[in-house]
Amino acid sequence: MQLAQFRTADLPAGDRFDAWHEMTSNALISTVVTTDSVNDFTATVRVLDLGPVQLSTVSYPPLRATRTARIIRRSDPDLYYVSLPLRGRLGVRHVGRDAEVDTDHFVVIDTSQPGVVVNREPVKHLIVQVPRVALPFKPSVLNAAVARPLPIGRGIGALMVNVAQQLMGSVDAYQPAEGMRLANVVVDLVTSVLAGHLSNGGAARDAGQRLLQRRIFDFIEKRLSDRALSPSVVAAAHNISVRSLQLLFQDQGLTVSGWIRERRLDRCRRDLRDRALAARPVHAIGARWGFSDPTAFNRAFKQAYGVPPGDYRRQQVGPEECADGQGVCAQRQ
């Protein structure tokens, strides 16, 4: 993980505003910006990219940033911004609402909707940038929280702020591979904070259920090669009963065992069309993804994809490429 930093103080005074505007349009969000400080624009931007989630701290002098419908048609990242002033106050006009947001509050901004953000004094704010699809709320439900000053409080809201600031302040302590896990932590915190502010109890419960489902899907995906993976293992890892787990999947039109089998077969399918693995026996690929019985693997694969795994491999990579000198592809599967 790397922390990108930009300071207008490093540039000639006449170039600062244009450079800052270009940088923030690329790294954050495209807007039309007007300010009285064009000739001496002092601002900083720090951006931490966690993959699907981005954390930023931005400081700048008084300005007006407008996101128009035309800009959205040209560039819509389909994100929600959770903005928390660390110094100063933000004025927001968005989705038909006006909000004044100070250092004890945060505001949610929908990048797919036009809006205006104004500050009449220098500000510094923390931005948590989250994809719309990562939040387990229906848009109609989450809209109730958009463009409203929401108190941070001393509980989960304060924890969200502290975690975001800690991540930005200690990037060197984390490995690049940890980015996705840290992004999930941030999304979970944002989800919990927003659920607490939604007055609709059913919406909060629905968000909690969706969050649990996402955690379970992620848990399964990371353990597909573990032959011991089963509904009881998944349920125990999430402190719920097997019956509750089955009900969560039933709502999705799935069974837990069926989903595990489907994801394993998909991994096998990907490996079978990978030329780099062409010399690996078919039964070894099945075993790699939890199918210890070659006969059962052949039967399950054919039921899912219409052909046995050996035939599928020959169709994808060709018999001459998947032979390893011992006729692996030509062997009876």
Side-chain angles (χ1 to χ4, degrees), residues 131-180:
R132 183 185 307 275
V133 296
L135 293 176
F137 300 97
K138 295 178 181 177
S140 58
V141 171
L142 188 52
N143 185 61
V146 172
R148 297 187 186 278
L150 302 173
I152 295 171
R154 292 185 292 179
I156 195 74
L159 179 61
M160 175 181 69
V161 177
N162 291 339
V163 167
Q165 290 182 312
Q166 181 179 345
L167 287 174
M168 297 200 69
S170 56
V171 176
D172 294 340
Y174 304 101
Q175 299 298 318
E178 295 177 306
M180 183 60 71

Side-chain angles (χ1 to χ4, degrees), residues 207-254:
Q209 184 179 60
R210 292 183 186 210
L211 182 59
L212 177 59
Q213 288 172 339
R214 191 175 69 232
R215 287 173 174 166
I216 289 171
F217 282 128
D218 185 62
F219 178 88
I220 290 172
E221 199 71 20
K222 291 176 179 176
R223 292 163 177 81
L224 291 173
S225 62
D226 182 356
R227 295 183 186 180
L229 184 65
S230 66
S232 59
V233 169
V234 176
H238 295 85
N239 298 310
I240 60 175
S241 68
V242 173
R243 173 62 177 162
S244 296
L245 176 67
Q246 298 286 14
L247 288 174
L248 280 174
F249 275 72
Q250 183 177 313
D251 291 343
Q252 301 291 317
L254 304 167

Side-chain angles (χ1 to χ4, degrees), residues 21 62 76 109 144 146 153 157 170:
H21 190 199
D76 182 9
I109 295 173
V146 172
S170 56

